């Protein structure tokens, strides 16, 4: 998984050179690939979607836990964003904890452990708690998957601008999903064994 994680990181960085990946990116990607690529449960497009979701939610693989201040500002405190999907709301912690057999209500920071965060990521996008929303694996298996169209499973921010360094063109979250997800397809086909 290490070589594949390095290949994924090396694929993302040139697309967004102003958004440096966190120092733990390769380690975190190994966990995501271990869960996403296990047993052929998820197709390559779905694994790519999971990676782009984690990249977006963790601010370029830099933060597995949202600050209390940020959670308060967003109205989620004390259930601020945690893990690769930045799980929020007590009901989501409860549902994910029940699915994985973990007590996330009394220890929400378990969701920030990379091995658990990867399980939550794929469980969440496969069946969002309390909504019945699921990622469309058939759509993501298409020759030209529409990653942006699936973003609503986690967050409805596809039209929000992504923070960029001066001199870089503005893009939306939807464009980021499409750009990074599309670039990841080839590298994932080369490194995930089905």
């Amino acid at each position: 998984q290490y070589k594949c994680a390095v290949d994924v990181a090396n694929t993302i960085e040139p697309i967004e050179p102003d958004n440096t990946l966190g120092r733990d990116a390769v380690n975190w990607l190994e966990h995501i690939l271990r869960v996403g690529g296990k047993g052929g449960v998820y197709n390559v497009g779905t694994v790519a979607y999971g990676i782009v979701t984690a990249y977006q939610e963790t601010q370029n693989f830099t933060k597995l836990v949202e600050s209390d201040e940020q959670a308060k500002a967003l109205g989620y405190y004390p259930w601020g964003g945690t893990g690769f999907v930045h799980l929020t709301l007590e009901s989501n912690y409860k549902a994910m904890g029940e699915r994985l057999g973990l007590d996330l209500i009394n220890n929400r920071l378990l969701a920030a452990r990379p091995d658990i965060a990867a399980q939550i990521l794929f469980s969440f996008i496969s069946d969002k708690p309390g909504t019945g929303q699921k990622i469309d694996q058939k759509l993501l298996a298409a020759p030209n998957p529409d990653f942006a169209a699936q973003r609503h499973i986690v967050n409805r921010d596809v039209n929000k601008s992504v923070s960029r360094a001066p001199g870089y063109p503005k893009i939306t979250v939807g464009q980021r999903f499409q750009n990074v997800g599309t670039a990841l397809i080839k590298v994932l086909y080369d490194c995930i064994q089905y």
Side-chain angles (χ1 to χ4, degrees):
Q1 300 295 341
Y2 178 78
K3 182 185 179 322
C4 186
V6 170
D7 290 347
V8 166
N10 289 337
T11 299
I12 294 171
E13 285 198 300
I15 296 169
E16 296 198 344
D18 60 318
N19 286 316
T20 305
L21 298 182
R23 71 176 194 277
D24 293 320
V26 171
N27 174 272
W28 294 356
L29 284 163
E30 283 184 275
H31 289 283
I32 294 169
L33 291 164
R34 193 170 295 119
V35 173
K38 183 171 56 178
V41 175
Y42 305 105
N43 64 44
V44 170
T46 301
V47 176
Y49 174 85
I51 291 169
V52 182
T53 295
Y55 175 63
Q56 174 69 24
E57 294 297 318
T58 64
Q59 298 176 2
N60 313 330
F61 298 116
T62 62
K63 294 182 180 182
L64 279 177
V65 180
E66 192 170 63
S67 71
D68 286 346
E69 293 77 27
Q70 190 174 7
K72 286 175 184 173
L74 295 170
Y76 297 133
Y77 183 81
W79 304 101
T82 306
F84 294 133
V85 76
H86 263 213
L87 196 62
T88 58
L89 305 176
E90 182 178 12
S91 59
N92 288 331
Y93 281 92
K94 184 175 192 277
M96 289 291 103
E98 288 172 356
R99 282 188 201 172
L100 300 178
L102 299 169
D103 184 0
L104 296 179
I105 294 295
N106 292 308
N107 190 357
R108 79 175 182 93
L109 293 181
L110 279 175
R113 267 186 32 194
D115 58 326
I116 294 172
Q119 293 174 56
I120 290 170
L121 170 65
F122 286 101
S123 180
F124 191 93
I125 65 174
S126 296
D127 186 7
K128 184 176 180 178
T131 67
Q133 293 179 322
K134 301 174 184 195
I135 196 161
D136 187 340
Q137 287 208 65
K138 288 181 184 174
L139 181 70
L140 291 175
N144 297 303
D146 188 347
F147 293 98
Q150 297 296 301
R151 176 64 179 153
H152 73 278
I153 301 295
V154 175
N155 200 322
R156 297 189 180 278
D157 60 356
V158 292
N159 295 317
K160 181 181 172 189
S161 290
V162 172
S163 296
R164 302 295 301 265
Y168 286 89
K170 290 189 178 209
I171 62 169
T172 65
V173 171
Q175 289 169 315
R176 169 185 265 183
F177 263 70
Q178 201 59 43
N179 295 345
V180 176
T182 300
L184 289 176
I185 292 291
K186 181 183 181 333
V187 72
L188 290 173
Y189 270 120
D190 291 344
C191 68
I192 294 179
Q193 303 299 315
Y194 285 101

